[in-house]
Amino acid sequence: MDKYEVVGLLGEGSFGRVYKATKAGTSSVVALKVITKRGKSLKEIKGLRQECEIQRGLHHPNIIQMLDSFETDNEIVVITEFAHKELTVVLSKEGYLPEERAQRIVWDLVSALYYLHSHRVLHRDLKPQNILLDQKNNAKLCDFGFARNMSTGTHVLTSIKGTPLYMAPELVEEHPYDHNADLWSLGCIIYELLVGTPPFCTTSLLHLIKMIRHDQVQFPSFLSELCISFLKGLLQKDPGKRVAWPDLLKHPFVKGHVLVLDDVPSKPLTRPMSIDTLQAKEQQRKDCLNQRALKNSPQCHKVVSMSTSSFDIENNNSSLDEQLSMLNIDSDIGARSCLQSSANSDSETHVDNGHLHFYENTNPIENDEWVVFLLRTIEEVIAGEMTSLSQKSLASIIISPLSNSNVSSKVLGYVANLLSLPFVVTDTSEGALEQIKNIYFDVKVVPNLVYATKLMFQYKCSTNLSTSSTAFAAIDSETQHFIAELSDDDSEALQHIFLLICHLVHLRSEFLKHFCDAVATLNVYNILRDMLSLSKQRVRLVIDLLAILTHILRTLPDRTDVITKILNTDNSEFNVVHLLKSSNPLLRERTCYFVQNLGKKCSEVLKSEWTESVRDILETLIYDSIEDVRNAAEVTVQDLKKLPFYQ
């Protein structure tokens, strides 16, 4: 590291950080990628080293040049040439590019891809995020984290890598594939350059999979016939019909503008295969399909499910008790790879001048497929792969079921479980956690969780009302009846939802403000009050809800109206004595602190709930068998004795 002087941070992801730096003693600017080894298995570290080796051997003007690399005990550091602009930044500012300008980028990308394939290297993650522009606006490919160097005897691959927006149909179908999958991704990028969006784009990940499988690409009329012809050749769903090397170089859209270097090794992927090679490739493809069929049989297919327990919020500690159970899933969907997705989607919750707006999605949802997808994504996150939660576009897709009134409680529970995992997976870097917290705030995770709770009650109460605040108020009188009839899946989902909310609001005050705003906008005061009666069925839910309400009293004195409206609801009863007498010591402790802060910030509300029974049980808890309960009761009684209505 002594050779380089860091100028500033360029970006951060689950892999690590990228810095702008200069070579010591010179004005030469480089990019310095620092990849942490912590939390990574030996296999993952080996893969990182393999990525370095692949990139070290690439020398082409349209590929970011690797200059150096070294390792420390905790990090792998890669030094590359510095490019001044990101293609995604250009697209975000301009929307799309004129055909003539885009065509020059296409020439550069085809040049880079021809070089890779001639050296038997598959990129496998082509997307605008992995394309940089230098000072002369030359395009350069970067990020070879998913790249694979195909040995001479290897003709097809099966491991799913990439981003579904740019993923070839054969990968979505989980079929064996070859270098032609990169050509589909190239076509998607070119389409986005010219149109502003990829050929298939939707806020639903599962819908995206189906569109790639079955829908036809629509080509705008403003594109030239030559350009459309080129795109149609690349965007053929059948890889056997897709335009390939060397015919691709002869297409008039790029002919004469592709930089082909002389150092072509033997047996490049850019030459037509011999009959013997084609036969060997077909045999490999059949063998892979047979192995996949065996692997996906119900007897062999097991998925790990995560059941979350408790965060120690009172001590602001994020430990989570985990229970792992094995589920047999008999399903065959092409969604395994979806956590690498990057879609242009927003949450169903929006903010306008500081006010939250919620939009209900009433479209049918394939709950069983969502369960399989979420379980698979959970497995990936447990293994330390946080990409699915550290990209705004993908996080938006993951939370999309929260705004769907047809979603099952099981799916809601798994969404909450998945969103909770970064805080309990060991060795998650602080940088990655901060990025995920920022993403959660941007996509309005907390408001969407509150909204999901509201929709659950609305659906269970069997109303056909709209999602306006007035309509929501009309169902409040029915919620108490629903509380008594919660199914196991319903109450478990609520428990997971409020466990996550509780943790987030204790991490940042912005999350707590989001909670208060969502409660007020959605008018869920009755629901929250009725949920406090679930101390026998779901004690963890009540514990976390009390912790949230107590935190509001402690840190947001201007939002105590939320507490007032929850406790002053007329058609349900908040039974303080029942909570203080709970057999669960943590609930007794939390109730004491809630009452204490209620006396400090909302004494009139506490006065309306105050009885001799409340006073007596508080004084009795000073002698509780649990020390934490005794301490909580003692400070509560000391503070409340200052109030005129205590005696």
Side-chain angles (χ1 to χ4, degrees), residues 478-496:
E478 301 183 43
T479 60
Q480 198 169 16
H481 174 69
F482 166 53
I483 282 285
E485 297 183 355
L486 280 173
S487 69
D488 288 342
D489 284 344
D490 296 333
S491 56
E492 187 173 354
L494 286 173
Q495 183 164 296
H496 293 317

Side-chain angles (χ1 to χ4, degrees), residues 66 72 80 103 178 276 306 360 387 400 434 454 514 516 581 643:
M66 178 176 166
T72 66
T80 67
Q103 190 174 22
D178 60 13
D276 289 343
M306 171 68 72
E360 180 183 352
T387 308
S400 62
E434 281 304 306
K454 182 69 177 186
H514 265 181
C516 294
K581 285 184 175 181
L643 300 175

Side-chain angles (χ1 to χ4, degrees), residues 1-7 21-30:
M1 289 291 288
D2 294 339
K3 297 181 183 178
Y4 304 95
E5 297 177 1
V6 174
V7 176
T22 58
K23 197 168 184 178
T26 73
S27 59
S28 178
V29 180
V30 298

Side-chain angles (χ1 to χ4, degrees), residues 81-341:
E81 67 172 305
F82 178 77
H84 291 73
K85 284 186 287 187
E86 299 177 9
L87 184 58
T88 51
V89 174
V90 175
L91 285 175
S92 66
K93 290 181 179 179
E94 302 186 32
Y96 60 91
L97 305 180
E99 186 173 316
E100 182 178 355
R101 186 176 167 195
Q103 190 174 22
R104 297 183 63 85
I105 296 177
V106 173
W107 296 340
D108 291 341
L109 296 180
V110 173
S111 299
L113 205 53
Y114 182 85
Y115 175 83
L116 288 179
H117 290 178
S118 68
H119 286 74
R120 300 187 67 85
V121 174
L122 277 62
H123 190 283
R124 301 201 296 178
D125 196 21
L126 290 174
K127 57 186 177 183
Q129 290 92 330
N130 290 337
I131 299 170
L132 304 176
L133 302 173
D134 65 13
Q135 286 182 311
K136 296 181 180 180
N137 284 321
N138 296 312
K140 293 174 177 280
L141 278 184
C142 67
D143 198 340
F144 290 81
F146 289 154
R148 168 71 185 272
N149 199 330
M150 292 184 73
S151 60
T152 304
T154 302
H155 305 295
V156 296
L157 300 175
T158 56
S159 58
I160 306 299
K161 303 291 182 183
T163 302
L165 278 178
Y166 311 95
M167 190 178 288
E170 57 266 34
L171 273 81
V172 168
E173 297 277 2
E174 297 188 271
H175 288 170
Y177 62 93
D178 60 13
H179 61 286
N180 286 322
D182 277 347
L183 298 178
W184 170 279
S185 301
L186 174 66
C188 291
I189 294 171
I190 298 170
Y191 188 99
E192 184 170 358
L193 287 175
L194 295 163
V195 179
T197 62
F200 302 113
C201 188
T202 171
T203 58
S204 167
L205 190 100
L206 298 180
H207 186 209
L208 174 63
I209 298 295
K210 291 183 177 180
M211 291 174 71
I212 294 173
R213 281 174 166 173
H214 306 298
D215 290 6
Q216 294 301 311
V217 179
Q218 302 299 315
F219 297 97
S221 58
F222 60 78
L223 298 179
S224 69
E225 291 184 7
L226 204 62
C227 179
I228 291 176
S229 169
F230 186 67
L231 284 173
K232 283 184 176 180
L234 293 172
L235 295 175
Q236 288 289 331
K237 292 182 185 289
D238 183 349
K241 297 179 180 179
R242 202 171 296 154
V243 63
W245 315 113
D247 293 339
L248 183 59
L249 300 179
K250 302 174 185 176
H251 195 283
F253 195 70
V254 298
K255 185 178 181 180
H257 298 282
V258 178
L259 177 60
V260 178
L261 302 185
D262 295 331
D263 63 334
V264 178
S266 62
K267 298 186 178 180
L269 298 174
T270 49
R271 291 179 185 167
M273 292 184 179
S274 66
I275 295 177
D276 289 343
T277 303
L278 286 171
Q279 290 176 344
K281 178 180 177 180
E282 179 60 18
Q283 187 58 51
Q284 279 189 12
R285 189 186 72 84
K286 290 179 179 179
D287 291 344
C288 290
L289 287 173
N290 291 335
Q291 291 173 9
R292 177 191 169 214
L294 179 63
K295 182 179 179 181
N296 283 342
S297 66
Q299 292 78 14
C300 300
H301 190 82
K302 291 183 180 290
V303 181
V304 176
S305 169
M306 171 68 72
S307 174
T308 55
S309 180
S310 62
F311 287 109
D312 185 359
I313 298 299
E314 202 66 45
N315 297 316
N316 202 23
N317 190 326
S318 62
S319 65
L320 182 68
D321 297 328
E322 303 173 357
Q323 297 175 348
L324 297 179
S325 60
M326 300 303 292
L327 277 180
N328 287 317
I329 302 294
D330 183 10
S331 179
D332 182 20
I333 66 168
R336 181 179 65 186
S337 56
C338 295
L339 76 109
Q340 298 297 339
S341 170

Side-chain angles (χ1 to χ4, degrees), residues 35 142 202 233 352 577:
I35 309 167
C142 67
T202 171
D352 180 20
V577 172

